[in-house]
Amino acid sequence: MKLYKTIKSNIHRHGLSAAKDIKGGTKIIQYKGKKITNKESDENKKYGWDITYLFTLNKKYLLDGDFKYNTARLVNHSCNPNCEVLDNNGSEIWISAIQNINKNEELTYDYGFSFDSYYKDHACKCGSDNCVGYIIREGSRWRIQEPIKLTKNI
């Protein structure tokens, strides 16, 4: 039995939730896709600012997960995540539980976006108490002077 199921998300469009109780430390789903170069991502309009599913593998390569067979692309961002991304030296990327997750709880991780001049282009709708309104990695959220609270996509 799979540990996850596809849901209509309260955070953003679709998501994944736990199909059964999951213990912390469990690998839940592998993030799959096509290996591309940084140069390819810079030159191809597919990889714009809308919705992209790119993971950095190393200085030269990214993993493009924008394929229907990559169900892990549906895991949404949260400022209070219950999962994390495990990178196996650039060979495999897994979404893993960082705490016990209850059945039907949405699976989320911190997307780790940088605090840069484009941060306002990435609104966060996770609704957690520590949400600053933008998808920014935990270590940079303190930089937001006036956090905004957005409503969830229901």
Side-chain angles (χ1 to χ4, degrees):
M1 177 182 181
K2 291 182 183 176
L3 296 175
Y4 59 87
K5 61 185 176 183
T6 304
I7 59 165
K8 182 177 178 343
S9 173
N10 289 331
I11 297 173
H12 183 76
R13 299 180 184 171
H14 295 94
L16 295 183
S17 71
K20 62 181 187 174
D21 291 345
I22 300 172
K23 291 188 179 204
T26 302
K27 284 184 179 179
I28 300 170
I29 185 170
Q30 185 178 2
Y31 197 94
K32 299 177 181 179
K34 176 185 172 189
K35 191 174 179 181
I36 63 168
T37 64
N38 282 308
K39 184 177 178 182
E40 284 177 85
S41 74
D42 291 340
E43 294 173 352
N44 190 328
K45 291 180 183 177
K46 172 186 178 182
Y47 308 112
W49 287 104
D50 188 23
I51 295 176
T52 59
Y53 302 94
L54 296 175
F55 264 103
T56 300
L57 296 175
N58 55 42
K59 289 181 181 180
K60 186 175 180 179
Y61 292 103
L62 302 166
L63 185 66
D64 174 9
D66 190 17
F67 299 95
K68 286 192 178 200
Y69 64 80
N70 179 32
T71 307
R73 78 189 189 290
L74 299 176
V75 178
N76 285 310
H77 166 85
S78 176
C79 296
N80 188 27
N82 54 19
C83 296
E84 67 182 347
V85 176
L86 297 178
D87 178 356
N88 189 8
N89 296 321
S91 63
E92 292 182 338
I93 293 175
W94 283 86
I95 309 300
S96 177
I98 57 174
Q99 63 192 41
N100 292 339
I101 302 171
N102 295 323
K103 181 179 179 178
N104 297 322
E105 185 178 341
E106 184 163 2
L107 305 176
T108 59
Y109 66 91
D110 182 344
Y111 282 6
F113 287 5
S114 301
F115 179 81
D116 57 22
S117 58
Y118 301 107
Y119 80 90
K120 288 187 177 179
D121 292 343
H122 305 287
C124 180
K125 299 180 182 179
C126 73
S128 66
D129 290 341
N130 62 335
C131 182
V132 295
Y134 302 103
I135 300 175
I136 299 171
R137 74 171 135 249
E138 180 181 18
S140 296
R141 291 186 196 130
W142 64 271
R143 298 172 184 246
I144 303 297
Q145 299 294 319
E146 295 181 31
I148 61 168
K149 293 293 182 186
L150 299 174
T151 56
K152 292 183 178 184
N153 263 359
I154 298 179

